[in-house]
Amino acid sequence: LIAFISGIPVDIMVRDKTIRMAEINFLCLHKDMRSQRMAPLLIKEVTRRVHLVGIFQAVYTAGRLLPKPVSTCRYFHRSLNPKKLMDTGFSQKLDGTQLAKLVSSLRLPILTSIPGLRAMRKGDVSQVRKLLNRHLKTRYDVLPVFRTDAEIAHWFLPREGVITTYVVDDAEAPGKLSDFISFYSLASSVLKPAGVARSKGAVRKPHGVRPQTTHATVNAAYLFYYGTKTDYGVSLTEEEKLACGGHKKEKALVKEKENALIGARLTGLTRDALILAKEADFDVFNCLDMMDNAMFTRELKFGPGDGYLRFYFYNYSSRSVPAEKIGFVML
């Protein structure tokens, strides 16, 4: 096998319009075949095959800047094993005192904090689909539409070394789910002694001698989808309404309060995901500044990386979308 490219059908909602698209992903070439115009050939062939099944629009991502991205997202990284990341060259080398301070500042609680948090099971599939679709549609401008339980089962049911999903049983409504969060695994091989392979968007290491290490891989977890209830029923007091002095300001204040509640919940969910990822021997937890991720990256001590992921549409024109309004995660 010297080359690969894939395309799968997806329903993408762009603002209020749903379009059947092909999600183009996993383009890769054997290193001996690069710079021989193989990539355009693969893209041309997958385009031809997508057209044959009646799909004429596509969505894809790239690290490179091409004309013209719909949105640009930046990678953020949360270290779970600082010493290993330093030894493998993933992050900057520190002396003993600096490393000890870093380890102390990044220390996580031993136990999770959200009551009712547990691994997702088959019986949760339908509820996860409804929760996810509602969360995506309420919060973002570009999002996938999951139409069947089979899709959810394929993408989210836990598989060791592939995907991890946790759900939260709603204490106020027994038998119902209030939240879920998921992350997928993508390990990077550590090359010895020539250097190291960095995870997507990893922080650059300083120039100099490449590190020697006994580690074979860097185990990276990537934040996938999450969902939480968005119908908090926030209401304003009479004093707040008088202070607003108009319907537009009232609406903005309600939105601000809802965002604060959602942000606090997502921060707790992601903190617990970090604890569980560390427990599962992941070395770093990565995410993009898309969706509502900016609500928790600073508090949970994610650091910005040097990598960017750009979203593109093929044969579909759209205004630019800010990163926080992108709700479509590609593996």
Side-chain angles (χ1 to χ4, degrees):
L1 189 67
I2 61 169
F4 182 87
I5 193 170
S6 71
I8 60 171
V10 289
D11 288 322
I12 300 295
M13 182 176 285
V14 182
R15 297 182 174 93
D16 294 323
K17 186 176 181 181
T18 302
I19 308 102
R20 189 69 162 173
M21 293 189 179
E23 177 189 327
I24 305 300
N25 210 348
F26 304 117
L27 169 62
C28 53
L29 290 169
H30 191 280
K31 61 181 180 180
D32 294 339
M33 300 301 294
R34 293 169 193 170
S35 72
Q36 296 188 33
R37 304 297 297 168
M38 275 291 289
L41 183 65
L42 288 169
I43 294 167
K44 185 177 180 181
E45 176 60 15
V46 78
T47 301
R48 185 186 71 85
R49 295 191 182 209
V50 166
H51 286 173
L52 288 176
V53 296
I55 299 176
F56 300 97
Q57 284 76 35
V59 57
Y60 60 98
T61 59
R64 293 175 56 194
L65 179 59
L66 307 169
K68 171 177 180 284
V70 175
S71 188
T72 299
C73 302
R74 187 175 189 177
Y75 280 102
F76 280 71
H77 313 279
R78 209 297 185 175
S79 176
L80 301 176
N81 189 343
K83 187 175 186 308
K84 181 176 177 181
L85 296 180
M86 185 185 72
D87 290 344
T88 55
F90 183 98
S91 55
Q92 184 179 352
K93 193 170 181 65
L94 304 173
D95 62 33
T97 304
Q98 291 174 316
L99 179 60
K101 287 182 179 178
L102 179 63
V103 170
S104 177
S105 70
L106 294 176
R107 186 169 289 117
L108 289 164
I110 297 174
L111 301 176
T112 57
S113 61
I114 295 180
L117 184 71
R118 59 172 175 81
M120 180 183 174
R121 301 189 290 255
K122 277 187 178 181
D124 302 320
V125 166
S126 182
Q127 287 195 64
V128 168
R129 180 173 66 84
K130 292 173 185 175
L131 181 61
L132 176 57
N133 281 334
R134 184 172 64 247
H135 181 90
L136 293 174
K137 190 172 182 180
T138 305
R139 302 291 298 172
Y140 313 121
D141 288 343
V142 177
L143 55 133
V145 179
F146 293 95
R147 298 197 182 278
T148 68
D149 287 352
E151 288 179 278
I152 295 296
H154 172 77
W155 289 110
F156 293 100
L157 279 178
R159 280 177 283 170
E160 188 175 352
V162 180
I163 181 73
T164 303
T165 305
Y166 287 92
V167 299
V168 179
D169 289 316
D170 193 340
E172 298 176 1
K176 300 290 185 181
L177 302 180
S178 61
D179 317 84
F180 88 96
I181 190 166
S182 59
F183 54 89
Y184 62 91
S185 172
L186 189 60
S188 294
S189 299
V190 177
L191 306 181
K192 302 173 291 183
V196 297
R198 294 187 295 143
S199 289
K200 297 188 293 184
V203 179
R204 288 187 187 278
K205 59 184 180 296
H207 295 293
V209 178
R210 295 179 184 267
Q212 303 292 315
T213 177
T214 58
H215 301 293
T217 59
V218 171
N219 298 316
Y222 285 81
L223 183 62
F224 198 33
Y225 287 100
Y226 49 72
T228 186
K229 68 177 184 179
T230 54
D231 51 342
Y232 281 96
V234 174
S235 59
L236 302 181
T237 63
E238 290 302 321
E239 291 81 2
E240 288 172 327
K241 289 179 182 179
L242 285 172
C244 288
H247 179 70
K248 191 173 181 180
K249 288 187 177 179
E250 286 180 18
K251 191 175 179 181
L253 183 56
V254 168
K255 186 71 174 176
E256 183 182 328
K257 288 190 168 191
E258 285 179 347
N259 283 341
L261 291 169
I262 291 170
R265 189 61 171 179
L266 291 179
T267 299
L269 269 176
T270 309
R271 182 184 289 110
D272 283 357
L274 291 172
I275 294 168
L276 294 163
K278 182 172 177 62
E279 190 178 283
D281 291 327
F282 284 98
D283 304 311
V284 63
F285 197 101
N286 302 320
C287 72
L288 292 158
D289 60 350
M290 63 191 302
M291 302 197 293
D292 288 316
N293 296 353
M295 289 181 168
F296 54 76
T297 48
R298 185 172 182 177
E299 183 173 340
L300 297 182
K301 299 179 181 177
F302 282 76
D306 66 345
Y308 291 84
L309 189 68
R310 297 171 173 90
F311 286 77
Y312 298 90
F313 288 145
Y314 163 77
N315 199 29
Y316 187 80
S317 179
S318 170
R319 301 191 309 274
S320 294
V321 179
E324 66 271 17
K325 287 298 181 180
I326 295 289
F328 179 51
V329 185
M330 288 180 64
L331 294 180

